[in-house]
Amino acid sequence: MAKTSNQYQPDYAVPTGWVTEERLAAVGLSHAELARRCGRLPKLISEIIAGKSPVEPKTAL
């Protein structure tokens, strides 16, 4: 098996809300629709995207 010598190792972290917002835009979902599909309140989804609330394991699944 060949070893990979060039592994990507970023020196920064991207907030979860940024990634979530990008994915929602890419697939055309609103915060409210994501909340409905996750069984969460729209306010919680908006707070996660704004970086005010952490993503709980149940929400992540």
Side-chain angles (χ1 to χ4, degrees), residues 6 20 22 36 40 43 61:
N6 296 327
T20 304
E22 276 189 8
R36 186 188 69 73
R40 300 303 211 185
K43 180 180 178 183
L61 289 173

Side-chain angles (χ1 to χ4, degrees), residues 4-32:
T4 303
S5 61
N6 296 327
Q7 293 182 358
Y8 179 68
Q9 296 179 354
D11 60 351
Y12 60 91
V14 178
T16 306
W18 289 9
V19 176
T20 304
E21 185 72 42
E22 276 189 8
R23 292 302 306 150
L24 288 175
V27 298
L29 283 179
S30 67
H31 297 184

